[in-house]
Amino acid sequence: MKIVACNSNRPLAEAVAAALGLPLTSASIRRFADMEVFVEINENVRGEDVFVVQSTSYPANDNLMELLITLDALRRASARRVTAVIPYFGYARQDRKSGSRTPISAKLVANLITAAGAHRVLTMDLHAAQIQGFFDIPVDNLFAAPLFTRDIQERYRGRELMVVSPDVGGVVRARALAARLHTDLAIIDKRRPRAGVSEVMNVIGEVEGRHCILIDDIVDSGGTLCNAAEALIKNGANGVSVYVTHGVFSGGAVARVGASPIENMTVTDSILATEAVRISSNIRQITIAPLMAEAVRRISDESSVSSLFN
């Protein structure tokens, strides 16, 4: 087994390799003067089971291209099997036609990854579960919920908790976490007048006197979660904490979260933290490296991965 790290999140790749007791495979991934991506694998990978770690986060197009060219390089180097380990799968929010004459970009990206030479994909908390069906190769979609459950139980022991979904689309995710924590569930009734803008209409559920745990898969602009936190406080919640798998944090999201009623926002390290995230007073990261490493080990050993979902 060999681990190859692209450039989007090298610290996570190093942590995964360390958890497996392996060195990272020597590879050169650089740019020509016109910013074309060039990849060279500096070790023999013929007949090897190779895992390429690359989140397709900002800059999404550059990181996606790095992944595709690395997959192609490994295929042409006669690797026995190549698994694309994509902790954050970019373009996942474009999983359906949102209007006339619009693309389904998540399907296009799935096709590109397959055509580039991936035999399998390992990812975490896809924005829409049906994206697994966009691939014609096996896809393992891990969940951050077990990590979040343990962290919440340690940090908020003794508090009267309530899990809250920030919109109707996240109810399944929130209900699963509520079941793990044996707590009640509330839902934010949200309207989105245009992309990147959200308005809270109602809070469905009795949140008064409870410490609310908002759960979501992606925080981008932060508007949805900040508005939801304000609505919960107005409805009598004692406090609001947030757990999100992928911290995109575009634009002024970090400042927006810092100025909101959110006591603490916990994100995973599926996306490399920016300096603004690292110095934020109410944003913290927990690592998914042990979980990803165990999944990689089981895929390589041809053993069951499904028990990691629990």
Side-chain angles (χ1 to χ4, degrees):
M1 176 177 26
K2 288 185 179 291
I3 311 293
V4 175
C6 295
N7 292 325
S8 74
N9 197 344
R10 192 173 181 88
L12 177 60
E14 291 171 348
V16 169
L20 292 167
L22 296 171
L24 286 175
T25 297
S26 175
S28 175
I29 303 172
R30 59 184 188 271
R31 301 288 193 275
F32 288 125
D34 63 353
M35 298 309 292
E36 282 187 11
V37 178
F38 176 76
V39 174
E40 184 176 10
I41 309 300
N42 300 320
E43 297 180 20
N44 180 23
V45 295
R46 183 180 297 274
E48 296 281 0
D49 195 7
V50 184
F51 295 82
V52 182
V53 182
Q54 174 81 331
S55 282
T56 50
S57 50
Y58 176 85
N61 299 331
D62 287 356
N63 287 332
L64 176 60
M65 204 65 200
E66 277 189 13
L67 173 63
L68 297 176
I69 294 176
T70 303
L71 293 173
D72 185 72
L74 291 166
R75 179 183 63 174
R76 295 177 188 278
S78 301
R80 176 173 58 86
R81 180 174 64 180
V82 183
T83 300
V85 181
I86 312 173
Y88 170 67
F89 184 83
Y91 285 97
R93 286 172 283 183
Q94 298 184 52
D95 62 320
R96 64 194 184 282
K97 283 178 70 71
S98 58
S100 301
R101 298 169 296 281
T102 59
I104 303 178
S105 302
K107 170 59 176 169
L108 173 61
V109 171
N111 290 344
L112 290 170
I113 290 170
T114 304
H119 297 92
R120 191 179 195 100
V121 170
L122 173 63
T123 186
M124 172 167 277
D125 275 338
L126 284 170
H127 182 65
Q130 67 265 21
I131 293 174
Q132 294 173 84
F134 293 179
F135 288 88
D136 294 322
I137 56 177
V139 176
D140 294 301
N141 181 31
L142 301 178
F143 302 111
L147 300 178
F148 290 165
T149 300
R150 289 193 292 272
D151 194 74
I152 291 168
Q153 288 171 338
E154 291 172 4
R155 292 178 64 86
Y156 302 104
R157 184 179 289 112
R159 295 205 199 183
E160 192 172 359
L161 301 177
M162 174 171 276
V163 174
V164 182
S165 173
D167 51 36
V168 174
V171 169
V172 173
R173 182 182 302 106
R175 185 184 292 122
L177 183 65
R180 289 173 179 272
L181 294 170
H182 307 291
T183 64
D184 295 328
L185 174 68
I187 303 168
I188 302 293
D189 177 24
K190 181 187 75 174
R191 298 289 185 272
R192 190 179 288 279
R194 63 184 185 276
V197 178
S198 66
E199 298 176 358
V200 173
M201 307 302 290
N202 299 291
V203 176
I204 304 169
E206 183 53 58
V207 301
E208 187 172 356
R210 313 287 285 273
H211 185 87
C212 294
I213 304 291
L214 277 162
I215 178 75
D216 211 346
D217 63 322
I218 298 172
V219 53
D220 190 350
S221 66
T224 293
L225 293 168
C226 292
N227 291 343
E230 291 174 1
L232 291 169
I233 294 296
K234 288 179 181 176
N235 278 264
N238 284 341
V240 179
S241 297
V242 178
Y243 280 78
V244 182
T245 306
H246 308 298
V248 176
F249 294 114
S250 62
V254 174
R256 190 173 294 113
V257 171
S260 74
I262 295 172
E263 288 184 15
N264 194 277
M265 176 177 285
T266 301
V267 299
T268 75
D269 57 352
S270 64
I271 296 174
L272 184 65
T274 63
E275 181 63 22
V277 171
R278 285 192 288 269
I279 65 174
S280 173
S281 61
N282 64 340
I283 300 175
R284 58 187 284 264
Q285 276 194 322
I286 58 175
T287 186
I288 58 172
L291 178 61
M292 300 298 288
E294 180 62 17
V296 165
R297 186 190 64 78
R298 293 188 183 197
I299 290 170
S300 183
D301 292 346
E302 304 290 352
S303 55
S304 174
V305 177
S306 59
S307 61
L308 296 177
F309 301 161
N310 300 319

